[in-house]
Amino acid sequence: MHTRKRLVVAGHGMVGHRFVQAAIERGLTETHDIVVIGEEPRPAYDRVGLTSWFEVGSAELSLLPSGEYDDPRVRLILGTPVTAVDRDACTVTLAGGAVLDYDELVLATGAAPFVPPVPGTDLRNVFVYRTIEDLEAIAAAARTACSGAVIGGGLLGLEAANALRGLGLETHVVEMNPRLMSVQVDEAGGRVLGRHIEGLGITIHTDRATEAILGDGRCAGLRFRGVEEPLPVDLVVFSAGIRPRDGLARAAGLEVAERGGVLVDEQCRSSDPHVWAIGECAAPAGRMYGLVAPGYAMAEVVVDALLGGAGRFEGADMSTKLKLMGVDVASFGDAFGTTPDCLELVFNDAVAGVYKKLVISADGRRLLGGILVGDASAYGVLRPMVGAGIELPANPEELILPAASGNGPQLTLPADAQVCSCNNVTKGEIEAAVDAGCHSAAEVTEATRAGATCGSCKVQVKKIVEDHFAAQGRTVDRSLCEHFRLTRAELFDVVLVHGYRSFDEIVAAHGTGRGCDVCKPTVASILASQLSGHVLAEGRHTLQDTNDAYLGNLQKNGTYSVVPRIPGGEITPEGLIAIGEVAREFGLYTKITGGQRIDLLGARMEQLPAIWRRLVDAGFESGHAYGKSLRTVKSCVGSTWCRYGVQDSVGLAIELELRYRGLRSPHKLKGGVSGCARECAEARGKDFGIIATERGWNLYVGGNGGAVPAHARLLAGDLSTEELIRCLDRFLMYYIRTADRLQRTSAWLDAVEGGLDRVREIVVDDALGLGAELERAMARHIDSYVDEWRATVEDPEKLRRFVSFVNAPEVPDPNISFGVARGQIVPAVPDGPVLVSGAVIPVGGAR
């Protein structure tokens, strides 16, 4: 009889989580029960994106939102450190005294921040920058501080500085080396980066060694070696590097590397054959790796070894690409030119703030590495060339010089070139995913994980997918449908230029046939976007799908929902009473929605006009829950009530919802406004989200919930209300004008050539000169808005549509019936007359 083994994982950070994912995917749980022990109180989260916690909160960073794995053979224990390992007994002891036996033990305990041994580190308002708890403490302290300093000018230190800046503090960066990011960029690159950072209002102190933190009980300043005057600051954050957390291994007698970390072989096995180490706590060949990509590679290697494979960890790509405070920075390969006799090509434009360096082999044929500051657009092509055996073009300087004609050197990567270093995905694997049925870069990312971690290779992944289609003679048909060979964006422009006002005009001039359930609603949406007016106006009502056709969402039993608009979620007691009375009179099911509205369900078609009339008379209007249009602008209570609020989020949410109500778009639109960085309105999960700052508003775009959630990304920061509205007017109209049918803003941003950066150029910087035109289009929408419910109940012709039977308008649909659950009506079960908590109510019995 086969006995299952137990595998214990000590640590549930990003690498520990990746190990468990790989174990499940590759079938290790068929033979092993896995127990994962996490020291932090929450499941693994995206530590690479830690700084975004100030904008999105901890839930948005989680790598395991459900809090548990789908595989029941994996058990997750949180908030519980492992305190000891007994190798002889093959057990681990947990805080609290519990003892677990293991057959195999994987150490994934990560690293700890290094805090230099200087006086004053025990004062209040002195922090490290490693966990969500650290950030929560920093945010709390910043509310009573005016200035702060980050000790450490590396990658994480600059992210911490940006966080302090975002919290409204006068910010300083202290670095003991002569330049910032000394591990990634050289002296010239460091100067360019420094000018960018200083331009944001952050003061940089390089060549400064901190001798002490000053203060009486609480931080009051920093004293530097050889500098007479101290630097007065109210808050200090240490980000001076990390050290492997190898204490468990040392106490258990495992071999450790000279500079720390569990010493492991090429399969990440320690000096004990049943104990493995991965991630920042491990030291393969004596070297500790501080990036997530090597940790992921180690996790895959250990899973392979436990399955009997021969995979080896042979080092890792330490390339880095990031956007730091809006500045592109990238470093790859032999960035500092340590290869004997190597050559350097340098482009340095101090005025534009761009620095690029390529390190080339002595014979001028191979790329060895490089540094990019200010413009890292070439990174996706350059990094895979390192070690891929691609011969450089005759004029390699063209790879970094500004493109004068757009006809730069065309390079072809070999199939084994690594495109995604985070997840070790090659060009060949991306092409294989396309051959296996993926039809877009997004589908390739889902299938291979290429671009799913840091995102720096997304542009290159998209290009490989498109080039592979072209090489096979395949194209992605973007025609709207069989009746129109145009895309939605092209059709939008055709209608705009020619001024068409009906589907018949459009199909006669640019299409074929009579149309279908794809093109008719799309044309109706385009006409509504450009002409406004009622969706049931003459020439448009026959184009609508079921929901738009009856101004309500069709439910499973043939009834409709009624959702009145409640701008910003603010409602008076009288309004609540009016909605309650309508629900009671018509016997409707009521529920609070996630968008801060009240959903009334169970309305029969013939009841809809009477319900709308009651609501309109009470001061309500259509909430457009049925349309591809603006739904809601959610808000927190903001500075009006909340002690943390810095701006009036409710007032702005109401203004925006009333401004954009009825705005027809390619897909539904949702907004959110949060009154502070605590982000209670979940604005980063919306198509447009606004988060208050001490200086104004940050505008985020391209977020959504649903089956494929996306985080909104920063379009512009510290805007006044006037600037915010202008940017948002332009963004929404540009999206409506250029997006594909049923394309959410998140997918649209990914599809736009140049992505968010290009949209920012068009919307914020007005690079195409479209700003005024887009603003005028929005003004036309605002001026021509009509409430569709009021317009319907006041128009006898429109009211004729709302009957179940044309030949018997007074007869309700006898197929609709209800049951009762929790004191409210619910649809009856189709195959049986009884629900959980009540009998069927015939159609005449529920008004």
Side-chain angles (χ1 to χ4, degrees):
M1 180 178 175
H2 178 72
T3 303
R4 292 182 61 79
K5 295 183 177 181
R6 174 181 285 174
L7 189 156
V8 172
V9 182
H12 194 237
M14 294 181 72
V15 174
H17 173 66
R18 179 56 173 271
F19 172 83
V20 177
Q21 280 185 314
I24 294 171
E25 290 168 2
R26 298 188 60 183
L28 189 59
T29 53
E30 297 300 322
T31 55
H32 290 70
D33 293 319
I34 300 178
V35 181
V36 190
I37 305 161
E39 183 173 339
E40 293 189 55
R42 55 179 58 82
Y45 52 88
D46 181 8
R47 208 182 298 274
V48 174
L50 184 63
T51 300
S52 65
W53 173 86
F54 290 102
E55 302 166 355
V56 304
S58 57
E60 299 294 335
L61 293 176
S62 179
L63 300 178
L64 192 65
S66 67
E68 60 184 20
Y69 290 95
D70 292 336
D71 192 325
R73 295 162 294 192
V74 179
R75 178 186 171 203
L76 177 59
I77 302 172
L78 296 174
T80 308
V82 176
T83 58
V85 175
D86 186 332
R87 291 166 49 204
D88 294 330
C90 287
T91 62
V92 295
T93 302
L94 311 185
V99 177
L100 293 176
D101 61 292
Y102 67 82
D103 295 288
E104 304 290 341
L105 172 64
V106 177
L107 298 177
T109 48
F114 172 67
V115 178
V118 298
T121 56
D122 57 344
L123 294 173
R124 294 197 309 277
N125 280 15
V126 177
F127 306 97
V128 294
Y129 199 86
R130 184 67 177 173
T131 68
I132 288 176
E133 284 70 32
D134 295 332
L135 270 58
E136 288 174 338
I138 291 169
R143 288 195 287 271
T144 57
C146 296
S147 60
V150 177
I151 298 178
L155 165 60
L156 195 60
L158 294 183
E159 288 200 355
N162 194 36
L164 296 189
R165 172 176 167 266
L167 290 169
L169 302 186
E170 175 190 310
T171 304
H172 301 261
V173 175
V174 179
E175 170 58 47
M176 66 181 299
N177 288 304
R179 65 180 183 275
L180 300 176
M181 289 187 69
S182 58
V183 175
Q184 287 83 18
V185 302
D186 58 13
E187 184 176 348
R191 284 197 298 269
V192 173
L193 176 61
R195 285 195 292 271
H196 278 292
I197 303 302
E198 288 176 329
L200 297 172
I202 294 175
T203 305
I204 299 172
H205 309 264
T206 52
D207 279 322
R208 291 287 186 270
T210 303
E211 270 192 342
I213 302 174
L214 309 176
D216 183 11
R218 170 176 165 160
C219 168
L222 296 174
R223 185 172 69 238
F224 303 129
R225 184 180 305 147
V227 178
E228 184 174 341
E229 289 294 324
L231 175 67
V233 289
D234 305 318
L235 183 151
V236 167
V237 177
F238 278 102
S239 183
I242 56 175
R243 298 292 183 269
R245 297 187 65 198
D246 56 13
L248 281 175
R250 290 178 185 272
L254 294 172
E255 293 183 22
V256 295
E258 182 178 350
R259 300 186 64 180
V262 184
L263 196 62
V264 296
D265 62 15
E266 291 178 331
Q267 288 195 303
C268 296
R269 185 186 282 107
S270 73
S271 52
D272 183 320
H274 297 290
V275 180
W276 316 71
I278 56 177
E280 293 168 332
C281 71
R287 179 181 179 182
M288 179 257 198
Y289 293 84
L291 297 178
V292 68
Y296 282 179
M298 293 181 211
E300 298 280 355
V301 165
V302 173
V303 171
D304 186 68
L306 290 170
L307 289 168
R312 296 286 187 272
F313 179 79
E314 298 174 346
D317 183 358
M318 299 298 286
S319 301
T320 303
K321 177 181 180 288
L322 62 145
K323 186 178 285 288
L324 204 61
M325 304 187 205
V327 184
D328 281 332
V329 180
S331 173
F332 56 94
D334 182 12
F336 293 95
T338 60
T339 303
D341 301 322
C342 64
L343 308 172
E344 292 186 356
L345 283 174
V346 176
F347 171 79
N348 192 347
D349 184 345
V351 176
V354 174
Y355 173 80
K356 303 179 183 181
K357 181 179 83 171
L358 298 183
V359 180
I360 297 172
S361 61
D363 60 7
R365 300 177 63 181
R366 288 190 307 111
L367 180 63
L368 303 178
I371 295 171
L372 307 170
V373 178
D375 175 13
S377 58
Y379 175 83
V381 172
L382 295 174
R383 190 200 58 75
M385 292 176 62
V386 177
I390 302 174
E391 188 161 328
L392 286 167
N395 299 306
E397 67 275 8
E398 293 180 4
L399 294 169
I400 57 173
L401 288 175
S405 63
N407 297 319
Q410 300 299 307
L411 302 171
T412 302
L413 298 175
D416 60 355
Q418 186 188 64
V419 176
C420 177
S421 58
C422 289
N423 297 292
N424 192 27
V425 183
T426 65
K427 176 188 175 186
E429 290 170 324
I430 292 171
E431 292 176 336
V434 174
D435 294 337
C438 292
H439 296 94
S440 67
E443 290 183 14
V444 167
T445 295
E446 186 175 350
T448 66
R449 292 194 180 131
T453 301
C454 76
S456 65
C457 62
K458 276 190 171 182
V459 173
Q460 187 67 4
V461 171
K462 183 174 184 288
K463 185 177 186 304
I464 291 171
V465 171
E466 292 173 349
D467 288 349
H468 195 54
F469 276 136
Q472 296 176 332
R474 296 168 58 190
T475 58
V476 179
D477 186 3
R478 301 189 183 280
S479 300
L480 185 62
C481 67
E482 61 188 279
H483 303 105
F484 288 97
R485 306 308 298 172
L486 304 173
T487 66
R488 182 197 172 276
E490 291 167 342
L491 194 58
F492 188 99
D493 287 339
V494 163
V495 174
L496 182 66
V497 169
H498 293 280
Y500 297 127
R501 305 185 69 84
S502 71
F503 179 83
D504 290 342
E505 288 180 295
I506 298 167
V507 76
H510 303 281
T512 60
R514 299 180 179 180
C516 63
D517 58 359
V518 171
C519 60
K520 285 184 175 180
T522 301
V523 169
S525 174
I526 290 173
L527 291 172
S529 296
Q530 295 189 22
L531 304 177
S532 297
H534 202 292
V535 292
L536 301 184
E538 186 64 33
R540 296 190 217 170
H541 65 277
T542 58
L543 306 179
Q544 305 296 343
D545 60 21
T546 303
N547 290 338
D548 269 315
Y550 295 100
L551 309 183
N553 281 330
L554 181 66
Q555 305 301 312
K556 64 189 291 184
N557 67 340
T559 60
Y560 289 83
S561 66
V562 176
V563 185
R565 184 170 304 287
I566 301 177
E570 183 179 79
I571 187 169
T572 64
E574 291 75 17
L576 284 171
I577 291 169
I579 291 176
E581 288 177 341
V582 169
R584 183 171 58 191
E585 178 180 344
F586 290 90
L588 305 177
Y589 173 94
T590 56
K591 187 180 184 303
I592 305 296
T593 73
Q596 299 179 333
R597 305 199 287 190
I598 299 175
D599 203 349
L600 309 176
L601 294 102
R604 299 190 305 277
M605 184 190 301
E606 66 274 9
Q607 291 179 312
L608 289 173
I611 294 171
W612 297 337
R613 188 180 299 278
R614 285 289 310 277
L615 290 170
V616 167
D617 289 345
F620 291 99
E621 62 182 23
S622 168
H624 291 94
Y626 47 82
K628 297 294 183 284
S629 57
L630 178 77
R631 299 290 178 85
T632 66
V633 181
K634 187 176 181 179
S635 72
C636 63
V637 296
S639 58
T640 306
W641 289 95
C642 179
R643 65 184 187 277
Y644 301 117
V646 294
Q647 303 286 355
D648 178 13
S649 55
V650 179
L652 180 61
I654 292 172
E655 181 178 358
L656 295 179
E657 187 162 342
L658 294 178
R659 184 177 185 84
Y660 301 132
R661 59 187 172 178
L663 182 64
R664 296 283 166 162
S665 54
H667 208 294
K668 62 186 175 185
L669 290 169
K670 295 183 179 181
V673 183
S674 286
C676 73
R678 297 170 74 90
E679 238 285 75
C680 294
E682 301 166 328
R684 284 288 300 274
K686 303 293 188 289
D687 296 281
F688 61 89
I690 296 106
I691 301 177
T693 71
E694 295 287 352
R695 303 179 185 89
W697 306 97
N698 285 348
L699 173 59
Y700 297 85
V701 294
N704 60 255
V708 185
H711 299 315
R713 291 167 279 173
L714 183 66
L715 180 69
D718 292 333
L719 301 171
S720 67
T721 302
E722 181 182 355
E723 292 169 333
L724 169 75
I725 291 174
R726 182 168 63 249
C727 284
L728 194 48
D729 282 356
R730 293 178 179 181
F731 172 81
L732 291 174
M733 276 303 175
Y734 188 58
Y735 160 67
I736 290 169
R737 183 168 178 168
T738 62
D740 205 353
R741 169 183 171 269
L742 300 182
Q743 188 175 44
R744 292 298 296 261
T745 53
S746 57
W748 169 70
L749 282 174
D750 288 339
V752 171
E753 192 70 34
L756 177 64
D757 290 339
R758 181 56 176 162
V759 171
R760 183 182 293 111
E761 291 172 358
I762 294 168
V763 170
V764 180
D765 303 331
D766 199 15
L768 298 181
L770 291 174
E773 181 181 336
L774 298 173
E775 291 171 37
R776 285 195 297 271
M778 184 61 77
R780 285 195 298 272
H781 160 74
I782 296 167
D783 292 342
S784 60
Y785 168 77
V786 294
D787 173 28
E788 292 169 353
W789 285 356
R790 177 182 290 275
T792 299
V793 299
E794 293 176 351
D795 187 338
E797 188 62 34
K798 292 185 176 67
L799 287 175
R800 291 194 182 98
R801 300 174 51 81
F802 295 91
V803 293
S804 295
F805 303 101
V806 176
N807 58 350
E810 302 302 322
V811 178
D813 186 345
N815 296 310
I816 296 176
S817 58
F818 300 92
V820 176
R822 298 175 297 279
Q824 295 205 80
I825 64 162
V826 292
V829 178
D831 297 325
V834 180
L835 283 177
V836 174
S837 58
V840 164
I841 302 174
V843 73
R847 297 185 57 235

